[in-house]
Amino acid sequence: MVEDIRFHRLPRRTFVGMGVAGAAALALPVSLRNARAQDVTEVRLTQSPSSPAEQNVMTSLLATFMAQHPDIQVNYEPVTQQYNTKLQTDLAAGTAADVFTFGSLPSPDFIQGGVLAPLNDRMAAAGITTDQFYPGLIAAFQQGEELYGLPKDFSTLGMIYDPAIFATPTDTSTVIGGTPSASPAASPAASPAASPVAGEGLAVPTTWDELRTVATQLRDQTGQAPIVFGPSFDRYIAFLYQGGGSVISEDGTSIVIDTPEALAALDFYHGLYVDGLATTFTEVGAQWPGDAFAKGLASIVFEGPWLIGFMAENAPNKPYGIAEMPAGPAGKATMAFTEAYGLNAASDVQDAAFTLIAWLTGVEGMTQWSTGFGVLPSRPEVAAVYLEQFPEREPFLVGGEYARPWQLGSGGERFNTEANAELQALFAGQQDSATTLANMQARAEEIIRLG
Amino acid sequence: MATALARTKRSRSPMESEDMIAGWVFLAPAFIIFATFIFGPIFYSLWISFYERNSFGTINNFVGIDNYRQILDSPDFWNAFRNTAWFSLGVVPTQTAIGLVLAVLANRKIRGKSFFRTAFYFPSISSSVVISLIFLWIYQRNGLVDILFNGLNIPVPNPVWMQNPNGIIQMTLEQFGADSVPPWLRGPSIALMSIMLLNIWTTAGTMMVIFLAGLQDIPGDVYEAASLDGASRVRQFRDITVPLLRPVILFVVTLGTIGTFQVFDQIFVMTSDGGPARTTTTLVYLIYQEGFKFGEGPGYASALATILFGIIFVLFLVQRHFLGQTENR
C-alpha cells in the first residue's frame, strides 16, 4: 500500500519477525504446489508491504491466483525497507523481479528509464480498458497514450474531523466510533478538544470559506488552532489544485507553479497558519498530523485512509468523522497516492507475468485484495462490494472520481524535497509566499525533466 | 598495511621467496575482499563520474568533466558544502577538546574511574540509529530539552528544534537589527546544531579513549620534574600534555574531520529529506539524494563523491601541515 506518505517523516519502523514471516510467505506457495504440473512458469513478484498484515493478505491473494492458474508459480519477494533504492539497483543489475510495484511519484522516471514494458497491446488482447479504473490513477502511469502499469490500489486525502464539534454532516461524510449523529451534543466526553464547544454542533465545512469560518470560530472559543498540518508539498498541492493551479501545464511542456492561482492557494494554506487557525504537528509535539488528531490535539487534519488503522491502534475509543476535502475556487480536488504493478521490460516470462498483473488488478483479484486489506480498490466496479464492508471509507473513495495523481514529472521525487524545503522556509518566516513560489518555479525548471 | 609489511621485510634481509609467497597467500583472502568491495567500487565510481547515467543504467553517455562543472555551478552543492563545513567546524574542535579533558580527568587516580570511562565511551558503541531516534524524542516539542528550557525560563525556539531552519549567526545578527542575512553568513541552523550536539555527545567518548591511550605514552617523570619546578596543574596540561599529545591530536582531528564530512545516518534518521529548508543536507546526504532519489543520477552522484574525497584529502594535508610537525623536532 502507499503508506510512504504517512511514514515519510516518521522514524522508519522495522517489523521484528518480518523476516520470519517473509520466509513463511516464500515457503507457502511451494508447499501448495506439491503436485507440480508440467511446464510451470515461475514469475517473481516484488512489492513493499507496509505491514505484516498487508504481506499476509498478499500471500493469500497469490495463493488464490495460483490455485486458478496451475501453470504459473508466483515467487513473492516482499521488501520492507528502502524499496525504491533496492528496486533501482536490482533493475540496473538486471536482477529485478518480473513484476514489481512502483509509486505514482517516481513513475515518470521508471517509464522514461525504459525499464517497463508497454501494456496497451497486451491489455487490448486481454480485453482490459483504461476506463475500468479511476482516471486519476491511470494518468499516473501513462506516457502519451501508452500505459506502463495497472494501479494496484490507492489512497486519497480527506478531511478528518472531530464529530463532537462538527455535528452537522455533509452528503458524503461518515463517522467512525462513538454514537454517530444520534445525539452528538450528548457525548462530548470522548475528546478533550470537544469540551469547550459542547452542544455547539458546527457544520462540517465543504469549502475554503466555510473552513476558515469554522476554524476562526473554534480558535476564538478555545484559544487554540483547530487545524493541524505541516509545511509539506503533498498537502499543499491538493489546495493548489482546488485553487485552479497546477505544477505542469496541461500539454506537459512547461512548469506553471508560479501563477496567481497558486499564490492564492498558498496564501490560503499558509494563511491558516499565520492567523492561528492551523498549527504544525511538530509544534504540538506530534509525530504527524494523524498523531496529533489521535492525541486530541487537533479538530481537523487532512489525511488519508492510513489514519483509520492508526486510530484503531492508538485511539480506539475516539470517534472521528471523515469528509471530502473542502472545495476551492476551482472546485473539488484531492490527491491520489497510488502504486502500480509494472511489467519488467527485461523479463523472460512476460506473458505469464502479465496474466498475473491482469488478475491482480481484475475484478476478482481487486475484490479480494481491497476487502481483505482495506485499501481503496482502483476499479470503480469493485466500489459497491467494498463499501458494503467499509461504508465509513466512502468519502475517501468518492475522492477517487476527481483525484489528481500524486506526480510531479520525471525527477519529481527530487523536486518534492526542494518544494518541501521552500515551504519550510516560508513557515519559518524566512521568505514570503511570492518568493516561495518563484523559488519553486526555478527549482522545478531545473530539476523536472519534461517529456 | 600490506605494502608496509613487505617493505620492512625486504629491507631487513635478502628476500626469501618462499616466505614471500606464504605472505601473499595469507594476505590473499583479505586483499581480494578489499579489492572487490573497496577498491573496485572506488575506481568504478570514479569511472562513472564521467558519464551521464540514469538510475537503471539504461542511459549511459560519456560527458567528460561536465558533471564536475555542473556541480560547481549548483547551489545545492554549495549549500551542502556550507552545511557540512559548519557541522565539521562546530563538531571537530568541540569533540576534540571534550575528549581531551575527559581523558585527562579519567586518567587521574579517582574513585570510580572505570565507571566514568565506560559511561563516557558508552554512546560511541551504541547504535547511532537508536541514539538518533532517542534524540528525536528529546528534541520534540515538550520533550526533554523543552522541559529543561522552560524550567530555566529560557524561551524555546519556534519552530521546534529539529524543524527550525534559522541560522544561529543569523538570529544573533537579527537581534542587532540586521535585515536579510545572506545564506553563507547564517551559520548552522538550529536543526543542524541539534544534530551537531548529538554528534559531539556520541563521538567525544571515542576521542577520549584515543587520548587515554596517548596519555599512557607520556612518561610520568616529566610531570614529576615539572612539579618539582613548581609548575601548576594547568601549566603542566598546557605545556606538557598538549605538546606531547600532538600526534594523537592530529589523529583525532583527522578522524573527526573525516567523520563529520561523511555524516549521513543521523541526517537520514532524524530529518525529513535534509530539511528544514535544506539546512541539514550534508554532502553525503546530497549524494544519496542525487543518486537514489531520482535526482541527477549515479554519474553526478559519483562526481560529488569524488569531490568530497578531494575536500577531505586537502583538509588532511592542511591539518598535517599545522599539527604534524612533532617528528621533526
Side-chain angles (χ1 to χ4, degrees), chain A residues 126-359:
Chain A
I128 305 168
T129 55
T130 52
D131 57 14
Q132 293 167 345
F133 297 87
Y134 286 104
L137 311 185
I138 289 294
F141 307 111
Q142 235 168 359
Q143 191 179 48
E145 290 296 302
E146 192 69 58
L147 192 69
Y148 288 88
L150 282 168
K152 165 173 164 274
D153 51 42
F154 71 111
S155 301
T156 58
L157 288 179
M159 187 170 66
I160 317 297
Y161 62 90
D162 188 337
I165 297 174
F166 301 100
T168 314
T170 68
D171 296 346
T172 52
S173 67
T174 56
V175 173
I176 299 178
T179 44
S181 66
S183 54
S187 61
S191 149
S195 40
V197 283
E200 196 67 25
L202 295 170
V204 176
T206 57
T207 62
W208 284 10
D209 290 342
E210 289 176 21
L211 180 68
R212 259 199 89 96
T213 310
V214 294
T216 312
Q217 250 174 296
L218 285 170
R219 180 203 59 188
D220 294 345
Q221 280 172 25
T222 63
Q224 282 165 355
I227 304 170
V228 171
F229 60 16
S232 44
F233 193 70
D234 56 21
R235 296 294 181 277
Y236 161 65
I237 191 172
F239 290 85
L240 176 68
Y241 286 130
Q242 289 158 10
S246 189
V247 176
I248 299 171
S249 62
E250 287 287 327
D251 57 2
T253 54
S254 58
I255 306 289
V256 289
I257 298 181
D258 194 2
T259 58
E261 290 82 10
L263 187 63
L266 187 55
D267 279 338
F268 176 77
Y269 189 77
H270 182 232
L272 293 171
Y273 177 71
V274 173
D275 297 338
L277 306 176
T279 184
T280 62
F281 59 92
T282 50
E283 275 170 61
V284 295
Q287 300 284 314
W288 61 292
D291 185 31
F293 189 86
K295 286 174 176 162
L297 301 167
S299 304
I300 291 179
V301 294
F302 307 108
E303 290 295 329
W306 51 81
L307 186 95
I308 295 172
F310 183 84
M311 289 296 285
E313 214 173 285
N314 294 279
N317 298 320
K318 187 176 162 58
Y320 57 100
I322 304 168
E324 292 174 71
M325 291 289 278
K332 288 180 178 179
T334 184
M335 301 311 296
F337 304 103
T338 180
E339 218 173 56
Y341 293 106
L343 179 52
N344 187 345
S347 167
D348 296 330
V349 289
Q350 293 198 357
D351 289 343
F354 184 75
T355 308
L356 173 64
I357 296 176
W359 188 87

Side-chain angles (χ1 to χ4, degrees), chain A residues 8-9 11-12 82 84-85 87-89 91-92 106 109-110 112-115 273 282-287 295 411-414 417-418 420-422 424-425 427-428 430 443 446-447 449, chain B residues 54-59 74-76 133 136-137 140-142 158-160 163-167 170 186 268-269 271-273 275-278 285-286 288-296:
Chain A
H8 78 282
R9 72 175 65 73
R12 278 117 186 120
Q82 297 296 304
N84 270 336
T85 308
L87 182 57
Q88 282 178 59
T89 46
L91 284 166
D109 292 282
F110 280 98
Q112 288 176 22
V115 292
Y273 177 71
T282 50
E283 275 170 61
V284 295
Q287 300 284 314
K295 286 174 176 162
E413 197 165 351
R414 181 85 182 82
T417 306
E418 298 303 320
N420 280 333
E422 294 300 335
Q424 287 154 1
F427 272 65
Q430 288 192 334
R443 294 317 305 266
E446 196 184 308
I447 294 169
R449 299 173 282 266
Chain B
N54 70 352
S55 306
F56 315 112
T58 49
I59 297 172
S74 156
D76 284 342
L133 287 177
L136 217 46
W137 288 94
Q140 241 184 36
R141 180 54 81 222
N142 302 325
N158 204 10
V160 196
Q163 303 296 327
N164 198 320
N166 294 316
Q170 172 197 9
R186 286 182 184 164
F268 184 81
V269 176
T271 75
S272 63
D273 268 337
R278 297 180 205 97
Y285 198 80
L286 184 67
Y288 167 73
Q289 283 185 329
E290 297 289 9
F292 288 107
K293 297 272 224 156
F294 300 102
E296 297 285 342

Side-chain angles (χ1 to χ4, degrees), chain B residues 27-301:
Chain B
L27 273 177
F31 185 76
I32 289 168
I33 290 171
F34 189 71
T36 316
F37 294 106
I38 310 275
F39 264 144
I42 286 174
F43 284 107
Y44 186 62
S45 163
L46 184 66
W47 173 253
I48 65 170
S49 74
F50 298 108
Y51 283 79
E52 182 199 4
R53 267 166 94 99
N54 70 352
S55 306
F56 315 112
T58 49
I59 297 172
N60 203 10
N61 305 316
F62 183 79
V63 290
I65 58 163
D66 268 14
N67 284 333
Y68 292 89
R69 210 177 285 155
Q70 205 184 331
I71 287 169
L72 296 179
D73 281 342
S74 156
D76 284 342
F77 167 73
W78 291 109
N79 172 60
F81 178 77
R82 208 159 44 222
N83 290 338
T84 314
W86 283 123
F87 191 90
S88 193
L89 218 60
V91 169
V92 176
T94 320
Q95 78 187 12
T96 308
I98 295 178
L100 182 56
V101 170
L102 286 180
V104 170
L105 293 179
N107 201 34
R108 291 164 69 175
K109 293 178 178 59
I110 46 168
R111 278 169 69 92
K113 185 172 66 178
S114 29
F115 167 77
F116 286 115
R117 285 185 182 181
T118 315
F120 290 136
Y121 190 53
F122 196 72
S124 308
I125 52 166
S126 311
S127 154
S128 78
V129 173
V130 173
I131 289 181
S132 301
L133 287 177
I134 292 172
F135 268 72
L136 217 46
W137 288 94
I138 292 177
Y139 284 131
Q140 241 184 36
R141 180 54 81 222
N142 302 325
L144 204 59
V145 183
D146 273 13
I147 292 172
L148 193 76
F149 270 57
N150 287 333
L152 295 171
N153 257 332
I154 306 170
V156 293
N158 204 10
V160 196
W161 300 96
M162 286 305 298
Q163 303 296 327
N164 198 320
N166 294 316
I168 52 167
I169 298 177
Q170 172 197 9
M171 289 167 78
T172 317
L173 290 177
E174 276 169 0
Q175 289 289 311
F176 294 100
D179 217 10
S180 61
V181 184
W184 55 270
L185 206 74
R186 286 182 184 164
S189 68
I190 291 187
L192 190 63
M193 277 290 292
S194 307
I195 302 176
M196 285 160 69
L197 287 176
L198 153 70
N199 204 285
I200 291 167
W201 181 71
T202 50
T203 38
T206 316
M207 303 316 177
M208 177 197 73
V209 169
I210 298 169
F211 278 128
L212 267 175
L215 285 173
Q216 314 304 315
D217 276 353
I218 302 178
D221 43 11
V222 183
Y223 288 109
E224 227 169 274
S227 11
L228 281 178
D229 289 342
S232 68
R233 268 254 143 79
V234 177
R235 186 83 200 277
Q236 288 179 25
F237 176 76
R238 202 186 65 197
D239 288 338
I240 297 172
T241 312
V242 173
L244 286 178
L245 275 182
R246 231 169 134 134
V248 185
I249 295 175
L250 170 68
F251 179 70
V252 164
V253 168
T254 308
L255 215 63
T257 311
I258 294 174
T260 49
F261 265 78
Q262 292 181 338
V263 63
F264 174 79
D265 42 359
Q266 288 140 354
I267 311 289
F268 184 81
V269 176
M270 295 179 73
T271 75
S272 63
D273 268 337
R278 297 180 205 97
T279 57
T280 61
T281 307
T282 56
L283 281 169
V284 181
Y285 198 80
L286 184 67
I287 292 173
Y288 167 73
Q289 283 185 329
E290 297 289 9
F292 288 107
K293 297 272 224 156
F294 300 102
E296 297 285 342
Y300 185 90

